[in-house]
Amino acid sequence: MQGSLPYGAGTAALGPFAAGASGDEIVDDPNIHERMVQPWDLIIAPVDPGPYRYAFQYVTTPLFSFYRESYRYSTRLVGLSPSNMQVFMVPIRTVDGSTHWKRPLPKNGISMTPPTSVEARFEAGQAHFMVLVNFEALRDGLPEELLAECRRRTSANLVPSSPRTATCFAAWMQDVLNAALQHGSMMHSPAVIRCLGEQLLQHVALSLRALPGGRLRPPLSTRRRVVERALDYLRAQQEPVVTIPELAATIGTSQRTLEYAFHDTFDMAPMAYLRLQRLHAARRHLLAVDGAEATSVTRVAHRSSTRHLARFASAYRAEFGELPSDTLVRRKPHMPRVLLNAC
């Protein structure tokens, strides 16, 4: 594992850390993938029909996590990023056709995601590190000028750091992963967790300091804020029956802006997104049920705010190719929920 990096003055001491965890998972079901990466709230689907394979190596603690993910097949992801974390995506292998918010992934630099709606497509062979850092850790660990730079770069969703800086960041995370997977007990040591947190913030700081010249990319559309207000309202309702005009009036925007915002972000209408999100949440729950837990399809349907069981079963089968009762009774796959930040 790499030692501490040279770092300028201004780094505040990080608070005490609880134990962390590490692991190496390969899954063949996108709904298991969705559960593994919570607190992301994602709808994940293969672009083409056929098999699915996702490889995931992780180190996670209550204040930060990072994980390496690799895609064997083209995959689309839509949803919401974690509510209390700044996310950085550090490239390993960027494949042509992979996009983030319908923009090509940068060949150089580190993508950034604040708490917001997310849309991405990763082509077969795409590999990168995702880094999730609690805002509290960022505030405590970075000097004010770098926090300001982080906020400024977040509006463009990109830290245009040099290839060498991004490569060093990725190499450090791979070294930590290798060590943690070989010596799992190291993640039980608060001293090790503290050291890793400090080194992680040093790499974030170096990325922000090593910015090449040039203008920022223009910010993404402000329609994303419309999407977030609409989702906040819809997800708070037990069974939303509002019309599109009523929803637009409730969140203070026009019907056309609301529809454009969802189509721009997710390529679907607001109610279609909500129905799909609830179907995926229902399947994650059905997959996670073990033999000792008493449940029923009716209970899961009601939990997903659906009162019409036949309609729910029909929509479920159209989306996943099986009835919810088939999912409930068949042998369950290994379905970890690994990111401690979800607690």
Side-chain angles (χ1 to χ4, degrees), residues 22-26 36 55-58 181 334:
S22 61
D24 187 354
E25 304 284 348
I26 296 177
M36 286 173 60
F56 178 79
Q57 295 178 312
Y58 62 91
L181 293 174
H334 177 53

PDB file of all heavy atoms in Angstrom, residues 22-26 36 55-58 181 334:
ATOM      1  N   SER A  22     -14.481  -4.956   2.934  1.00  0.00           N
ATOM      2  CA  SER A  22     -14.008  -5.049   1.558  1.00  0.00           C
ATOM      3  C   SER A  22     -14.558  -6.335   0.965  1.00  0.00           C
ATOM      4  O   SER A  22     -14.986  -7.242   1.689  1.00  0.00           O
ATOM      5  CB  SER A  22     -12.476  -5.043   1.492  1.00  0.00           C
ATOM      6  OG  SER A  22     -11.940  -6.162   2.192  1.00  0.00           O
ATOM      7  N   GLY A  23     -14.549  -6.426  -0.361  1.00  0.00           N
ATOM      8  CA  GLY A  23     -15.054  -7.623  -0.991  1.00  0.00           C
ATOM      9  C   GLY A  23     -14.885  -7.600  -2.493  1.00  0.00           C
ATOM     10  O   GLY A  23     -14.466  -6.597  -3.080  1.00  0.00           O
ATOM     11  N   ASP A  24     -15.216  -8.712  -3.098  1.00  0.00           N
ATOM     12  CA  ASP A  24     -15.069  -8.913  -4.549  1.00  0.00           C
ATOM     13  C   ASP A  24     -16.289  -9.708  -4.999  1.00  0.00           C
ATOM     14  O   ASP A  24     -16.481 -10.842  -4.564  1.00  0.00           O
ATOM     15  CB  ASP A  24     -13.770  -9.682  -4.823  1.00  0.00           C
ATOM     16  CG  ASP A  24     -13.447  -9.801  -6.296  1.00  0.00           C
ATOM     17  OD1 ASP A  24     -14.280  -9.389  -7.138  1.00  0.00           O
ATOM     18  OD2 ASP A  24     -12.366 -10.311  -6.623  1.00  0.00           O
ATOM     19  N   GLU A  25     -17.147  -9.099  -5.823  1.00  0.00           N
ATOM     20  CA  GLU A  25     -18.397  -9.730  -6.225  1.00  0.00           C
ATOM     21  C   GLU A  25     -18.529  -9.733  -7.745  1.00  0.00           C
ATOM     22  O   GLU A  25     -18.096  -8.799  -8.414  1.00  0.00           O
ATOM     23  CB  GLU A  25     -19.607  -8.979  -5.639  1.00  0.00           C
ATOM     24  CG  GLU A  25     -19.610  -8.829  -4.130  1.00  0.00           C
ATOM     25  CD  GLU A  25     -19.999 -10.113  -3.419  1.00  0.00           C
ATOM     26  OE1 GLU A  25     -20.486 -11.042  -4.084  1.00  0.00           O
ATOM     27  OE2 GLU A  25     -19.805 -10.174  -2.186  1.00  0.00           O
ATOM     28  N   ILE A  26     -19.142 -10.777  -8.275  1.00  0.00           N
ATOM     29  CA  ILE A  26     -19.539 -10.839  -9.680  1.00  0.00           C
ATOM     30  C   ILE A  26     -21.012 -11.237  -9.697  1.00  0.00           C
ATOM     31  O   ILE A  26     -21.394 -12.225  -9.067  1.00  0.00           O
ATOM     32  CB  ILE A  26     -18.692 -11.848 -10.477  1.00  0.00           C
ATOM     33  CG1 ILE A  26     -17.227 -11.405 -10.510  1.00  0.00           C
ATOM     34  CG2 ILE A  26     -19.226 -11.983 -11.905  1.00  0.00           C
ATOM     35  CD1 ILE A  26     -16.303 -12.380 -11.216  1.00  0.00           C
ATOM     36  N   MET A  36     -26.588  -3.877  -4.562  1.00  0.00           N
ATOM     37  CA  MET A  36     -25.206  -3.824  -4.088  1.00  0.00           C
ATOM     38  C   MET A  36     -24.689  -2.403  -3.969  1.00  0.00           C
ATOM     39  O   MET A  36     -23.900  -2.104  -3.074  1.00  0.00           O
ATOM     40  CB  MET A  36     -24.306  -4.628  -5.034  1.00  0.00           C
ATOM     41  CG  MET A  36     -24.443  -6.129  -4.900  1.00  0.00           C
ATOM     42  SD  MET A  36     -23.511  -7.008  -6.160  1.00  0.00           S
ATOM     43  CE  MET A  36     -21.856  -6.439  -5.800  1.00  0.00           C
ATOM     44  N   ALA A  55     -18.778  -6.901 -12.578  1.00  0.00           N
ATOM     45  CA  ALA A  55     -17.722  -7.219 -11.606  1.00  0.00           C
ATOM     46  C   ALA A  55     -17.499  -6.012 -10.707  1.00  0.00           C
ATOM     47  O   ALA A  55     -17.412  -4.870 -11.186  1.00  0.00           O
ATOM     48  CB  ALA A  55     -16.439  -7.603 -12.336  1.00  0.00           C
ATOM     49  N   PHE A  56     -17.340  -6.275  -9.398  1.00  0.00           N
ATOM     50  CA  PHE A  56     -17.395  -5.217  -8.395  1.00  0.00           C
ATOM     51  C   PHE A  56     -16.432  -5.552  -7.261  1.00  0.00           C
ATOM     52  O   PHE A  56     -16.599  -6.553  -6.567  1.00  0.00           O
ATOM     53  CB  PHE A  56     -18.850  -5.162  -7.905  1.00  0.00           C
ATOM     54  CG  PHE A  56     -19.159  -4.172  -6.827  1.00  0.00           C
ATOM     55  CD1 PHE A  56     -19.325  -2.839  -7.115  1.00  0.00           C
ATOM     56  CD2 PHE A  56     -19.342  -4.592  -5.515  1.00  0.00           C
ATOM     57  CE1 PHE A  56     -19.660  -1.933  -6.126  1.00  0.00           C
ATOM     58  CE2 PHE A  56     -19.675  -3.703  -4.514  1.00  0.00           C
ATOM     59  CZ  PHE A  56     -19.839  -2.358  -4.835  1.00  0.00           C
ATOM     60  N   GLN A  57     -15.388  -4.750  -7.091  1.00  0.00           N
ATOM     61  CA  GLN A  57     -14.462  -4.876  -5.957  1.00  0.00           C
ATOM     62  C   GLN A  57     -14.581  -3.606  -5.130  1.00  0.00           C
ATOM     63  O   GLN A  57     -14.547  -2.501  -5.681  1.00  0.00           O
ATOM     64  CB  GLN A  57     -13.022  -5.040  -6.448  1.00  0.00           C
ATOM     65  CG  GLN A  57     -12.746  -6.310  -7.227  1.00  0.00           C
ATOM     66  CD  GLN A  57     -11.303  -6.347  -7.707  1.00  0.00           C
ATOM     67  OE1 GLN A  57     -10.792  -5.379  -8.268  1.00  0.00           O
ATOM     68  NE2 GLN A  57     -10.640  -7.462  -7.482  1.00  0.00           N
ATOM     69  N   TYR A  58     -14.665  -3.730  -3.808  1.00  0.00           N
ATOM     70  CA  TYR A  58     -14.976  -2.545  -3.028  1.00  0.00           C
ATOM     71  C   TYR A  58     -14.205  -2.492  -1.713  1.00  0.00           C
ATOM     72  O   TYR A  58     -13.824  -3.510  -1.142  1.00  0.00           O
ATOM     73  CB  TYR A  58     -16.477  -2.491  -2.724  1.00  0.00           C
ATOM     74  CG  TYR A  58     -16.973  -3.652  -1.896  1.00  0.00           C
ATOM     75  CD1 TYR A  58     -17.002  -3.583  -0.500  1.00  0.00           C
ATOM     76  CD2 TYR A  58     -17.410  -4.831  -2.492  1.00  0.00           C
ATOM     77  CE1 TYR A  58     -17.456  -4.648   0.272  1.00  0.00           C
ATOM     78  CE2 TYR A  58     -17.864  -5.903  -1.733  1.00  0.00           C
ATOM     79  CZ  TYR A  58     -17.884  -5.803  -0.351  1.00  0.00           C
ATOM     80  OH  TYR A  58     -18.320  -6.863   0.404  1.00  0.00           O
ATOM     81  N   LEU A 181      -8.314  -7.133   0.050  1.00  0.00           N
ATOM     82  CA  LEU A 181      -8.844  -8.442  -0.321  1.00  0.00           C
ATOM     83  C   LEU A 181      -7.931  -9.570   0.156  1.00  0.00           C
ATOM     84  O   LEU A 181      -8.395 -10.673   0.451  1.00  0.00           O
ATOM     85  CB  LEU A 181      -9.042  -8.518  -1.833  1.00  0.00           C
ATOM     86  CG  LEU A 181     -10.137  -7.597  -2.393  1.00  0.00           C
ATOM     87  CD1 LEU A 181     -10.145  -7.633  -3.917  1.00  0.00           C
ATOM     88  CD2 LEU A 181     -11.507  -7.987  -1.849  1.00  0.00           C
ATOM     89  N   HIS A 334     -27.076 -14.997  -4.264  1.00  0.00           N
ATOM     90  CA  HIS A 334     -26.360 -14.189  -3.272  1.00  0.00           C
ATOM     91  C   HIS A 334     -26.616 -12.722  -3.572  1.00  0.00           C
ATOM     92  O   HIS A 334     -26.413 -12.270  -4.691  1.00  0.00           O
ATOM     93  CB  HIS A 334     -24.868 -14.504  -3.363  1.00  0.00           C
ATOM     94  CG  HIS A 334     -24.022 -13.688  -2.442  1.00  0.00           C
ATOM     95  ND1 HIS A 334     -24.252 -13.598  -1.089  1.00  0.00           N
ATOM     96  CD2 HIS A 334     -22.915 -12.928  -2.692  1.00  0.00           C
ATOM     97  CE1 HIS A 334     -23.334 -12.818  -0.533  1.00  0.00           C
ATOM     98  NE2 HIS A 334     -22.527 -12.399  -1.483  1.00  0.00           N
TER      99      HIS A 334
END
